[in-house]
Structure formats: C-alpha cells, structure tokens
C-alpha cells in the first residue's frame, strides 16, 4: 500500500526559529494538504495545494507559513518564525483525483516550540 | 457553512459491548463522509468511508451508513475490543471545498477488559 512519508517524526525548536516539515506524497496524487492538531484538540485544515499553487488556505496559514513542492516529489511546510502556539502535530496528506477523495495521511510530525 | 458534529466523549465501554458514536453533518451538495481513527501516539488512519447516500462503509467490524435524510453517518461496532481504544473522527469532504476535509471534534473511546 503506497504511503505518505513525513520527516522528521518529532522536532523541537526554539521560539523564533524557522522550521521546515517535509512530506513525500504518493507519487500519482495531485492534491496535497497540510493539517494540524494541537494536542487533544480538533484537526484543523491549513492549506491545500494543486497544480503547483495554493488552492486554499485557512486563517491559521498566515504570512509565517509557506508551502513548496520543490522537486516534484517533496512537499514542504515552512514556518518562518515559530511561536509557542505553533506546537502541534502536523499532518501531510495527498489525494488522488481518480479515486473519490482517496486521502492518505502521513504519520505526522510533532513540532514542539520551546 | 459545512460542518461536522460528533457526540462528545469520552466514551468508556467494557469489552464486547456495542458501540455507537453519533455523527451528523451540514453541507451544501453531497459530500463524501469518512471515519478516521487515531490510536494513542499515532497518526490518522482512514477507518471507513461512504461516497453517496445509503452507502455503507465497513472495516475491522466497524460500520457506518450514509443517511441523507437525517444527514448522519453514525459509527457502530457490535463487539468492541480493548485494541479499539482510540480517538475517532468523523469528517466530510465536498468537491466544492477544494477537497479539504472538515472534521468533527473527535470522540475518545476507552475499552476496558
């Protein structure tokens, strides 16, 4: 079964530092997403990406956040200057336009900002 | 706007008990509906899905039926096991929403031996 791979599984960073969370989506998928889950809370949509551009972003996804698909396989989420409240589990997902909304999630990156 | 409402947890059951976790949705159009499961310390796994009215999704003994008339997608299992202890999320996705998932708050299930 194809997988979405996320690295690292856990990252600790100091407040104000930049972090890059990496994802390798399933190779024939066309839609890519980042979601986050603050500990014990709801899963929240951050951004969707299609055809090499952002198709939608949430209010959470402010100027401190950016996404890239630099080489056709990786899909990255960058947080420029981390805040304590960015501490969360970040999930990458990809979706195949052929299968009906066949989302596959990665296992997540736990980001801890100290 | 589109939303998902789940019954609040935590739900605590004894092994072999019957499980129901209620989920209702509001949507424009006809969304696809999903149940995801998150085991302790792990990521999100798709448990089952249904893409149109009256479809029944099933997996690992869990079932949910897409009921358009009641806008519901309740999760059921006839006999739970300790290993089913997890958080269960109901979600919807609609083609008009850039295919983003809209999530319920999650329901924590604890099954005691």
């Amino acid at each position: 079964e194809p997988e979405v791979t996320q690295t690292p599984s856990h990252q600790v960073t100091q407040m104000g530092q930049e972090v890059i969370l990496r994802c390798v989506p399933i190779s024939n998928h066309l839609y890519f997403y980042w979601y986050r889950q603050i500990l014990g809370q709801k899963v929240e949509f951050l951004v969707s990406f299609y055809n090499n551009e952002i198709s939608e972003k949430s209010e959470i996804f402010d100027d401190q956040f950016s996404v890239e698909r630099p080489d056709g396989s990786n899909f990255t989420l960058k947080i420029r200057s981390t805040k304590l409240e960015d501490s969360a589990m970040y999930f990458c997902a990809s979706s195949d336009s052929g299968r009906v909304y066949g989302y596959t999630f990665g296992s997540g990156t736990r980001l801890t900002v100290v | 706007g589109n939303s998902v409402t789940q019954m609040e947890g935590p739900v605590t059951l004894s092994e072999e008990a019957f499980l129901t976790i209620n989920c209702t949705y509001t949507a424009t159009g006809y969304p696809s509906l999903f149940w995801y499961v998150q085991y302790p310390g792990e990521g999100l796994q798709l448990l089952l899905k249904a893409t149109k009215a009256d479809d029944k999704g099933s997996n690992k003994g869990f079932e949910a039926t897409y009921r358009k008339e009641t806008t519901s997608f309740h999760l059921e299992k006839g006999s739970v096991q300790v290993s089913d202890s997890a958080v269960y999320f109901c979600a919807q996705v609609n083609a008009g929403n850039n295919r983003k998932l809209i999530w319920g708050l999650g329901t924590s299930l604890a099954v005691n031996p």
Side-chain angles (χ1 to χ4, degrees), chain A:
Chain A
E1 181 91 26
E3 290 184 343
V4 173
T5 305
Q6 286 187 246
T7 54
S9 56
H10 190 189
Q11 177 144 8
V12 181
T13 189
Q14 289 199 327
M15 192 168 53
Q17 294 297 303
E18 174 183 286
V19 294
I20 298 176
L21 310 183
R22 301 180 192 282
C23 170
V24 179
I26 292 174
S27 60
N28 63 345
H29 282 188
L30 300 177
Y31 297 82
F32 311 110
Y33 309 84
W34 284 99
Y35 291 82
R36 80 171 185 190
Q37 183 186 31
I38 294 172
L39 185 62
Q41 297 185 26
K42 188 177 183 174
V43 181
E44 300 171 296
F45 167 76
L46 290 179
V47 65
S48 59
F49 192 87
Y50 171 71
N51 201 24
N52 287 318
E53 61 183 20
I54 291 174
S55 48
E56 186 174 353
K57 58 185 180 180
S58 72
E59 292 177 355
I60 303 166
F61 195 89
D62 61 21
D63 292 345
Q64 293 301 311
F65 290 86
S66 63
V67 289
E68 259 194 333
R69 189 157 161 79
D71 56 12
S73 62
N74 290 284
F75 179 52
T76 61
L77 174 69
K78 182 192 290 186
I79 309 175
R80 287 190 185 82
S81 177
T82 50
K83 308 185 190 71
L84 294 176
E85 55 265 35
D86 294 327
S87 295
M89 182 75 93
Y90 288 80
F91 292 104
C92 173
S94 66
S95 170
D96 171 10
S97 63
R99 286 168 53 202
V100 181
Y101 311 134
Y103 268 74
T104 302
F105 279 86
S107 55
T109 294
R110 181 170 297 284
L111 176 66
T112 304
V113 182
V114 296

